[in-house]
Amino acid sequence: MRIIQATLILLMILSSCKHKEHKPESLPEMAVIANYNETFRPQFHFSPEEKWMNDPNGLVYNKGIYHLFYQYYPDDIVWGPMHWGHATSADLVHWTHKPIALFPDKNGLIFSGSAVVDKNNTSGFGSLENPPLVAIFTYHDMAKEKEGTDDFQTQGIAYSLDNGDTWTKYEGNPVIRNPGFKDFRDPKVFWNDIANQWTMLLVAGDHLQIWDSKNLREWKKVSEFGKSQGAHGGVWECPDMFRLRVEGSDETKWVLLISINPGAPNGGSGTQYFLGDFDGKTFTSEQNQARWVDWGTDNYAGVTYNNVPSGDRIFIGWMSNWAYARDTPTEKWRSAMTIPRKLSLRKIGDTIDLINYPIQPFDDQLVEEIEKNIVLAPNAKENIVYNTFNQTEVRFLTSSKDFRLHFKNALGEALILSMDATKDVFILDRSKSGKTDFQQDFGASQQMPIPYLSDEKFEVRILMDWSSIEVFINRGQYVMTSLIFPNEPYNALEIENRSQSPQEFTDFTVSNVNRIW
Ligand code: FRU
């Protein structure tokens, strides 16, 4: 009965919200429609209550709240006319669902973009006492696309004076018209403290464009980057750029993130990064080869928060891949976000690497269940039995580069992670992990080169959440994120020493991860 009531309330809310710009005042949160216990439902990752989600959008902190907007289609579990869904959090761990923030309008669907706190009210949309939140997004005009023109993507803005609860689109939209690029989208805006103005990153097919503005309404293109640098196996999407300090030094570098689809190292979608310099107008980098934020198949379109008080750079990615995002075996909703990760730069040998590692507040979700030190003779194995590894963190220290972890269930399904010293590679094999046949290449083995992994002890940390696995090696030096769909929870983990010498796996812990809903 309560479910029926809740559904009716939701239907009323949806019908009153649909295609309107302003929602009723008395609607701070969505009625609860999901109990988050469906098959494959993530328990400690963000997923929408129902229907289709892709990229994170408008990541911004304001007045105690982390906003997470996202590409959302409220009418189906496949991609469709895009809206901005919305959720908020005080700690980036627990989330509150909010009504849809941005609806399509006469200019088109609402594609990916960013949000800023306009503290000095440069836009004039608010006041110095109540600075506006301004969202900057791509309009995608389907009708124009069908006509066969190339100018169907433009950039628009909207503002909120109540910290994201209600939004008003700017009447002068679009603020950037299309100069003739079929792919011209995903504006990331940030306050540029070198030039004392707003900077917008935009991608145009095979390159990045940088635009300037004093007021978020009038924009001028100032530079380009990347036509002949990095990976170009697919279209460039979802740029982001920021300055980071190299751990333990005063050296800083600018980091540019560019998502690319297809063309990722293990197929389909992936996110590359460039290290370089930014003089306030132009980004330059000596890097020609692509470097990857995450080697797994399922971390795409990731961007970072604006305005975080601690100054930390916090990243969230969409945990899927355009190669099969529409086919994954969930029925009520589709897809989840990665665990929020802190980005940093670490000097390793002669190179500087971009590190990504779960934010520290997430650790409060962990309840340690097993702790042991494991020593294995050459080619020996140890089996750890646990009721379910599917909502679990596994963590240990080792200096072995020749081991295998084998998560198994009673159906004979297995997810196999192996480190291979002779090839300097880490392999994630999900070919027999559960449901894989919804797409031809889903079971292909995923490889991550680990050439600069320390010979000292390093940490292996694994987060498993019913339909995903995130592997962090050496505290975020090497990372793989991957979807999995086991038909039954894995309840055994075999650790195998594949080297010719005894090996230690110390501080080996298995922790339950509390659900966040
Ligand atoms: C990335 C992307 C963006 C676009 C959005 C549309 O996944 O293709 O480039 O704005 O998704 O939903």
Side-chain angles (χ1 to χ4, degrees):
M1 191 59 202
R2 285 175 64 187
I3 295 176
I4 296 173
Q5 267 174 0
T7 313
L8 281 175
I9 294 171
L10 178 84
L11 285 174
M12 282 162 61
I13 293 167
L14 281 180
S15 60
S16 71
C17 290
K18 249 184 198 172
H19 312 306
K20 282 192 198 162
E21 292 301 306
H22 298 280
K23 316 303 143 353
E25 303 283 61
S26 58
L27 247 193
E29 292 169 20
M30 292 287 270
V32 174
I33 53 166
N35 46 20
Y36 280 80
N37 60 7
E38 304 91 342
T39 310
F40 302 131
R41 178 68 98 163
Q43 296 299 304
F44 58 89
H45 286 82
F46 179 83
S47 61
E49 289 193 290
E50 57 166 10
K51 309 301 182 196
W52 169 273
M53 173 179 82
N54 56 288
D55 314 359
N57 294 153
L59 302 185
V60 67
Y61 174 92
N62 191 33
K63 297 184 187 156
I65 289 179
Y66 289 93
H67 291 277
L68 166 61
F69 300 91
Y70 51 87
Q71 288 287 277
Y72 189 53
Y73 181 43
D75 294 332
D76 205 342
I77 58 162
V78 289
W79 190 93
M82 283 289 113
H83 301 55
W84 273 26
H86 186 201
T88 57
S89 174
D91 59 4
L92 288 168
V93 176
H94 302 88
W95 296 95
T96 303
H97 295 291
K98 304 289 261 183
I100 290 173
L102 297 175
F103 290 76
D105 63 43
K106 63 175 188 342
N107 289 309
L109 315 180
I110 314 295
F111 273 21
S112 286
S114 52
V116 295
V117 183
D118 182 12
K119 288 179 188 157
N120 295 323
N121 193 33
T122 60
S123 62
F125 292 143
S127 61
L128 284 177
E129 297 70 46
N130 187 24
L133 263 191
V134 180
I136 310 95
F137 50 84
T138 296
Y139 274 122
H140 181 100
D141 187 333
M142 291 279 248
K144 270 196 170 177
E145 185 185 15
K146 281 201 188 109
E147 284 165 19
T149 61
D150 275 350
D151 59 353
F152 49 85
Q153 294 190 336
T154 58
Q155 320 309 322
I157 59 179
Y159 62 92
S160 169
L161 299 176
D162 54 10
N163 203 4
D165 281 346
T166 57
W167 289 87
T168 305
K169 304 245 182 66
Y170 173 49
E171 72 277 3
N173 277 341
V175 291
I176 299 185
R177 294 181 183 278
N178 190 305
F181 295 103
K182 208 158 81 54
D183 298 291
F184 185 61
R185 57 178 178 267
D186 305 343
K188 168 76 185 213
V189 174
F190 61 91
W191 180 252
N192 173 340
D193 56 16
I194 306 170
N196 251 320
Q197 56 191 349
W198 298 103
T199 287
M200 181 193 289
L201 312 170
L202 259 184
V203 276
D206 63 350
H207 68 280
L208 172 81
Q209 300 193 346
I210 298 185
W211 294 61
D212 265 359
S213 173
K214 297 267 181 226
N215 56 17
L216 295 165
R217 291 188 264 142
E218 292 143 327
W219 293 92
K220 198 172 110 235
K221 187 178 146 200
V222 290
S223 66
E224 288 187 359
F225 170 80
K227 277 192 179 136
S228 57
Q229 280 167 274
H232 283 276
V235 175
W236 281 24
E237 299 186 321
C238 301
D240 197 355
M241 193 168 86
F242 39 86
R243 186 171 32 205
L244 284 181
R245 184 182 302 281
V246 180
E247 283 175 4
S249 87
D250 286 338
E251 189 183 356
T252 60
K253 288 251 166 240
W254 281 82
V255 182
L256 171 67
L257 305 183
I258 296 283
S259 283
I260 165 172
N261 177 57
N266 282 297
S269 327
T271 302
Q272 57 177 327
Y273 71 91
F274 296 89
L275 299 186
D277 290 313
F278 178 56
D279 64 5
K281 299 256 180 224
T282 308
F283 176 80
T284 46
S285 170
E286 284 167 10
Q287 184 188 320
N288 287 315
Q289 293 299 101
R291 307 180 74 184
W292 302 96
V293 173
D294 187 318
W295 286 80
T297 42
D298 299 288
N299 178 354
Y300 191 60
V303 283
T304 66
Y305 270 90
N306 275 331
N307 205 36
V308 172
S310 64
D312 283 354
R313 209 21 85 171
I314 299 169
F315 167 100
I316 295 182
W318 171 47
M319 227 168 9
S320 199
N321 189 313
W322 282 116
Y324 45 71
R326 307 162 188 86
D327 308 313
T328 55
T330 58
E331 282 164 13
K332 183 168 177 178
W333 86 100
R334 273 241 172 80
S335 79
M337 296 301 180
T338 64
I339 281 293
R341 304 173 185 182
K342 183 177 160 178
L343 301 184
S344 52
L345 293 178
R346 195 184 298 161
K347 193 150 199 176
I348 295 170
D350 293 337
T351 57
I352 295 174
D353 280 3
L354 181 66
I355 302 297
N356 64 104
Y357 194 66
I359 53 164
Q360 199 279 330
F362 171 72
D363 287 0
D364 294 343
Q365 297 302 107
L366 304 174
V367 182
E368 194 174 293
E369 303 283 349
I370 298 173
E371 197 201 344
K372 50 182 10 192
N373 287 323
I374 298 172
V375 182
L376 292 177
N379 297 316
K381 296 175 184 168
E382 168 144 348
N383 211 31
I384 296 178
V385 177
Y386 183 59
N387 55 340
T388 168
F389 279 98
N390 289 32
Q391 195 177 321
T392 307
E393 183 209 71
V394 173
R395 208 197 284 220
F396 58 88
L397 298 172
T398 189
S399 52
S400 167
K401 291 187 181 159
D402 249 320
F403 63 85
R404 199 168 81 154
L405 303 172
H406 199 134
F407 291 92
K408 308 188 242 188
N409 67 18
L411 299 173
E413 295 170 346
L415 170 66
I416 303 166
L417 308 178
S418 32
M419 201 175 269
D420 181 335
T422 49
K423 297 195 184 122
D424 260 343
V425 78
F426 184 85
I427 300 166
L428 187 152
D429 176 356
R430 61 179 176 184
S431 61
K432 298 189 177 61
S433 59
K435 288 195 192 335
T436 57
D437 61 359
F438 51 86
Q439 196 250 359
Q440 191 187 331
D441 300 327
F442 186 82
S445 115
Q446 300 175 34
Q447 308 226 354
M448 164 166 69
I450 47 167
Y452 304 113
L453 185 58
S454 158
D455 291 328
E456 307 291 308
K457 276 198 170 176
F458 54 87
E459 182 194 75
V460 176
R461 184 178 182 190
I462 298 166
L463 300 178
M464 264 231 249
D465 192 4
W466 293 93
S467 46
S468 66
I469 175 165
E470 289 159 286
V471 184
F472 302 91
I473 297 172
N474 199 18
R475 292 184 71 83
Q477 183 188 356
Y478 294 113
V479 179
M480 280 191 123
T481 302
S482 183
L483 292 179
I484 43 166
F485 298 97
N487 286 299
E488 250 183 35
Y490 302 123
N491 60 357
L493 168 58
E494 183 184 276
I495 306 128
E496 181 182 352
N497 172 10
R498 289 162 70 89
S499 77
Q500 298 312 310
S501 54
Q503 295 293 342
E504 290 185 352
F505 303 86
T506 55
D507 297 317
F508 196 106
T509 58
V510 177
S511 303
N512 185 50
V513 186
N514 285 335
R515 86 195 294 249
I516 59 168
W517 302 106

